Amino acid sequence: MDAIEELIDKNAKEYASIAYLEDSAKAQKLLDNPMLLKQPIVRNGKTAATVGYCPEVWEGWK
């Protein structure tokens, strides 16, 4: 799966506005409308981040 696709919340009310765009346009659309991003976006403060609920990954960050 494309990295941009992993960031998009397919359950978002505005999903139809991004669903059929080209990848280059999707990136700009996400910047313009952050409500289309999956939540939460969690960073470990170093080099890693997750999108969505990933407690198994977060445990490995300790």
Side-chain angles (χ1 to χ4, degrees), residues 44 46 48 50 54-62:
N44 73 349
K46 298 174 186 165
T50 61
C54 306
E56 64 283 352
V57 174
W58 304 333
E59 285 294 321
W61 289 350
K62 291 182 178 180

Side-chain angles (χ1 to χ4, degrees), residues 19-40:
Y20 301 104
L21 296 177
E22 292 184 22
D23 286 344
S24 59
K26 286 180 182 181
Q28 185 60 49
K29 187 71 166 182
L30 286 173
L31 291 173
D32 294 342
N33 189 353
M35 294 301 292
L36 289 165
L37 289 168
K38 279 185 187 175
Q39 301 292 326

Side-chain angles (χ1 to χ4, degrees), residues 9-19 29 33-36:
D9 181 1
K10 292 179 175 50
N11 295 319
K13 185 170 50 169
E14 296 88 8
Y15 176 69
S17 69
I18 198 171
K29 187 71 166 182
N33 189 353
M35 294 301 292
L36 289 165

